[in-house]
Amino acid sequence: MQQLTIARPDDWHLHLRDGALLQTTVPASARVFHRAVVMPNLVPPVTTVEMALAYRERIMAALPAEMTFEPLMALYLTADTSVAEVKKAAADRRIIGFKLYPSGATTNSAAGVKSVEALAPVLEAMQQHGVPLLVHGEVTDKEIDIFDRERVFIERHLIPITQQFPGLKLILEHITTGDAVDFVSEANENVAATMTPQHLLMNRNDLLVGGVRPHNYCLPILKRREHQLRLQQAALSGNPKFFLGTDSAPHVQANKETSCGCAGCYSAPAAIELYAEFFAQHQALDKLENFASVFGAAFYGFEKNQETITLSQSPWQVAATLDTADGPMVPYYAGNTLQWQVSE
C-alpha cells in the first residue's frame, strides 16, 4: 500500500451554514483541515465583527472534543460597511477579511454589492490596515452569458481594483476560467486564487451531458474543458498564487433535486481525497502538500501546520447520501470511487 504524509492542510474557502447542520459540517471539515476561512453568507449575513464572533462560538460548540479546528471568519461586505468596521476587523486575529459578493451572484447573496466602484473608501482602509478582500468574481447582468460572468468581472472590476489598490491583498475565489488564471498569474504579489475540487476534476459536460446533474451544479458554473485544462495546469505548476479552497457548500437533497435547484457542491466529506485524486491522475502527488498545506498559509501570513495527515492508496466509495438534522444530503462525488483516503 502506498502512503503519502503531508502537513495538515487548510481550507481557504468553506461554507458551514448554521444551526443544527453545524453538527454535520464542522466535524466533516475538522477531521482533516486545521484552519478554514468560513463564509459569511448566512441569513441574515454576517456583516460585523460581533456577529462573526458569535457565529464562531456556534461553530466551536459543534466541534467534537477530540478534534482541533480554527475557523477564520470572513465578514460580508456591503454598501454599508464602514471604515470603522474595517479597523475593528484588522485588530482581531479571528477575522480573516471581507467577502465581496455581487448582489444575486450565488446562494444568499441578495445583500451583496451593487456598485463595486462605491467601495473605494472601504478598499482603501482595507489596504491600509492589511485586511484581505475575498472575491466572488462574477457579474450578474442579465445580458451577460453565465459562462462569461467571471471574465467580464475581471475586466470590469478586478483589473481596476488591483491598479487602484496595489497593496490590497485580494483572493479571487473558486476560479473557473483561463481568464482568471491569466489575471492572477499576471497580477502583483498581493493577488492569489483558490481552486475547488469540482473545477479541477470536471467541466460542463459533467453537468449537462446525459441529463442535468444537479449535484455538480455550483456557482461559478463549470466551464468548457479548455478552461478546466488551464486550471489544471495552474494547480500543477507549483505557482504559490494558486491553492486549496473547497467552496464546500452543503444543501439538502430536496433543495438540489427540484425544479429550481440551488448551487453548491458539498465536498467536505472527501475533500482532501478529491484533491489527491486529481494530483494522482496527473502523476503529481508530490505537489499536493504545497497546494493544500503551504501556499495558502503563506499568502495569508500563517506558518505551515506542524501536525501531519497520512493518505493511503486504498479505494473507497463516497457515500450516496448523508443523514443530517436538515434532511438527507448528497455529497459531491456521491457513489464514485476514490483511490486515496486519510488513514485514521
Side-chain angles (χ1 to χ4, degrees), residues 15-267:
H15 298 269
L16 293 172
R17 309 304 184 207
D18 206 353
L21 192 58
L22 292 175
Q23 300 297 326
T24 296
T25 59
V26 173
S29 288
R31 75 181 181 95
V32 168
F33 297 110
H34 177 206
R35 292 173 287 238
V37 174
V38 179
M39 294 296 107
N41 56 331
L42 304 182
V43 179
V46 179
T47 56
T48 68
V49 170
E50 289 77 11
M51 293 175 72
L53 296 183
Y55 180 29
R56 190 179 191 276
E57 288 184 7
R58 298 194 295 275
I59 292 169
M60 296 305 291
L63 182 68
E66 69 275 12
M67 291 184 173
T68 59
F69 186 57
E70 184 178 357
L72 300 167
M73 311 306 293
L75 302 185
Y76 198 116
L77 189 62
T78 75
D80 296 323
T81 300
S82 67
V83 170
E85 199 65 39
V86 171
K87 293 178 180 178
K88 192 181 298 184
D92 195 315
R93 64 177 300 276
R94 295 165 293 184
I95 307 299
I96 194 70
F98 283 82
K99 180 65 182 280
L100 191 164
Y101 288 106
S103 181
T106 189
T107 303
N108 298 341
S109 62
V113 171
K114 291 184 171 66
S115 171
V116 175
E117 291 72 26
L119 297 174
V122 170
L123 297 182
E124 174 60 44
M126 292 173 65
Q127 176 177 250
Q128 180 182 351
H129 295 282
V131 178
L133 176 68
L134 292 64
V135 181
H136 181 116
E138 292 188 286
V139 297
T140 56
D141 313 46
K142 290 184 178 180
E143 66 271 19
I144 303 297
D145 189 287
I146 190 170
F147 294 100
D148 294 327
R149 286 179 170 186
E150 184 174 85
R151 175 183 60 79
V152 174
F153 189 93
I154 291 168
E155 295 170 352
R156 188 182 293 177
H157 300 300
L158 290 190
I159 291 174
I161 285 175
T162 55
Q163 291 172 342
Q164 187 174 359
F165 306 104
L168 175 66
K169 272 193 176 293
L170 186 151
I171 303 88
L172 183 53
E173 305 280 19
H174 43 49
I175 62 170
T176 65
T177 62
D179 307 277
V181 170
D182 289 339
F183 164 72
V184 173
S185 298
E186 296 166 7
N188 67 53
E189 63 183 6
N190 291 314
V191 177
T194 57
M195 300 176 122
T196 75
Q198 64 265 26
H199 291 108
L200 290 171
L201 290 168
M202 292 183 171
N203 58 64
R204 66 187 190 181
N205 281 355
D206 299 288
L207 174 66
L208 299 171
V209 172
V212 176
R213 304 186 182 277
H215 299 288
N216 293 342
Y217 173 54
C218 59
L219 289 173
I221 199 166
L222 296 171
K223 303 298 196 299
R224 291 179 180 272
R225 175 157 172 74
E226 64 195 67
H227 289 294
Q228 179 194 15
L229 291 174
R230 292 294 311 283
L231 298 181
Q232 291 177 342
Q233 291 165 3
L236 296 167
S237 70
N239 186 332
K241 286 179 164 230
F242 301 98
F243 46 81
L244 184 155
T246 64
D247 192 24
S248 179
H251 295 282
V252 295
Q253 186 173 3
N255 290 340
K256 293 286 288 181
E257 299 175 9
T258 182
S259 60
C260 187
C262 53
C265 297
Y266 182 49
S267 58

